[in-house]
């Protein structure tokens, strides 16, 4: 199977070619078509299986077709991750795969000054990659809005559970439109993660 058989088109396929990718991995074959068809997804995938591309590529494909300008403090896509390091890795992948389409992706993480994040969110964004605690701080202080977010991805959900982020995640999800697409990816599926998926 090739990437063009998964529903990806033009600029996204060119970006994949630039990276030298030829054949999608099993998690990409399973996730990309369902993602593009607006299905909710629960997936178990280990690190190194191409999981990030499985959700970043269809996000970028969808953004190519977007015709609406971003609203202030809003973003259609939210990617929640447990650590700043993982958030930075995903933001890097968005830059690599989005080199042709150039989406506006904002990194919202703790351990750095909030000022640049606040400034970046002011005009809205296409994608926010965030750790739950810092995002909740921005939402509480009305720097970020979640009411127009339509896609939420929880990556490494089991790690977020281990780090005690579940209360923050539940608050964040409660503020997102009920009419949303939810994608949950995890290396393991303990009871608490299964409960969150349900």
């Amino acid at each position: 199977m090739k990437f063009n058989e998964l529903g990806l088109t033009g600029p996204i396929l060119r970006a994949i070619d630039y990276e030298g990718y030829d054949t999608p991995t099993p998690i990409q074959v399973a996730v990309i078509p369902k993602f593009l068809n607006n299905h909710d997804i629960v997936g178990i995938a280990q690190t190194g299986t191409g999981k990030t591309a499985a959700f970043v590529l269809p996000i970028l494909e969808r953004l190519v077709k977007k015709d609406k300008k971003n609203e202030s403090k809003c973003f259609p896509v939210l990617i929640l991750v447990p650590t700043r390091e993982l958030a930075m890795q995903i933001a890097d992948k968005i830059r690599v795969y989005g080199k042709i389409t150039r989406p506006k992706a904002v990194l919202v993480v703790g351990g750095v000054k909030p000022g640049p994040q606040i400034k970046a969110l002011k005009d809205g964004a296409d994608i926010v990659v965030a750790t739950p605690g810092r995002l909740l701080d921005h939402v509480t202080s009305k720097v970020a809005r979640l009411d127009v977010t339509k896609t939420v991805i929880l990556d490494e959900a089991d790690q977020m559970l281990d780090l005690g982020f579940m209360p923050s995640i539940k608050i964040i999800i409660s503020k997102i439109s009920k009419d949303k697409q939810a994608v949950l990816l995890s290396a393991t599926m303990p009871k608490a993660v299964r409960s969150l998926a349900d």
Side-chain angles (χ1 to χ4, degrees):
M1 181 165 278
K2 301 290 184 189
F3 282 100
N4 63 357
E5 297 173 74
L6 301 180
L8 301 172
T9 59
I12 310 305
L13 291 173
R14 288 204 301 279
I16 293 168
D17 281 344
Y18 287 147
E19 289 309 297
Y21 296 167
D22 182 39
T23 306
T25 66
I27 189 73
Q28 292 162 1
V29 170
V31 169
I32 292 171
K34 285 187 167 44
F35 193 116
L36 290 172
N37 284 314
N38 276 323
H39 293 287
D40 291 335
I41 298 165
V42 176
I44 298 179
Q46 301 299 323
T47 303
T49 56
K51 176 167 53 74
T52 302
F55 61 81
V56 169
L57 292 173
I59 287 169
L60 296 174
E61 177 69 34
R62 197 176 280 163
L63 288 173
V64 168
K65 300 173 173 72
K66 190 181 92 160
D67 54 5
K68 243 172 81 173
K69 270 188 76 176
N70 295 318
E71 291 181 52
S72 176
K73 305 177 184 179
C74 295
F75 37 93
V77 179
L78 170 63
I79 303 170
L80 281 175
V81 297
T83 65
R84 181 172 61 179
E85 292 72 25
L86 181 56
M88 290 165 69
Q89 285 172 29
I90 291 172
D92 282 343
K93 289 294 187 189
I94 291 169
R95 273 191 289 276
V96 168
Y97 302 141
K99 66 175 73 178
I100 297 168
T101 55
R102 297 181 179 269
K104 181 179 178 185
V106 175
L107 198 58
V108 172
V109 294
V112 295
K113 290 182 177 171
Q117 297 173 10
I118 293 167
K119 190 175 174 191
L121 287 167
K122 189 176 178 191
D123 294 327
D126 295 312
I127 308 165
V128 165
V129 186
T131 50
R134 177 55 64 89
L135 178 64
L136 201 49
D137 289 346
H138 286 329
V139 170
T140 304
S141 59
K142 300 196 177 347
V143 169
R145 288 171 45 201
L146 294 170
D147 51 302
V148 301
T149 299
K150 290 292 186 187
T151 302
V152 60
I153 294 136
L154 277 68
D155 192 17
E156 304 289 2
D158 50 353
Q159 271 192 54
M160 287 198 267
L161 173 71
D162 292 343
L163 293 170
F165 283 130
M166 282 304 157
S168 297
I169 290 168
K170 286 178 178 174
I171 294 168
I172 289 165
I173 289 175
S174 74
K175 294 179 182 297
I176 296 173
S177 162
K178 295 276 184 281
D179 178 28
K180 66 179 174 297
Q181 179 183 24
V183 178
L184 185 147
L185 297 164
S186 189
T188 61
M189 197 61 67
K191 269 189 189 168
V193 173
R194 172 61 65 189
S195 165
L196 180 68
D198 292 341

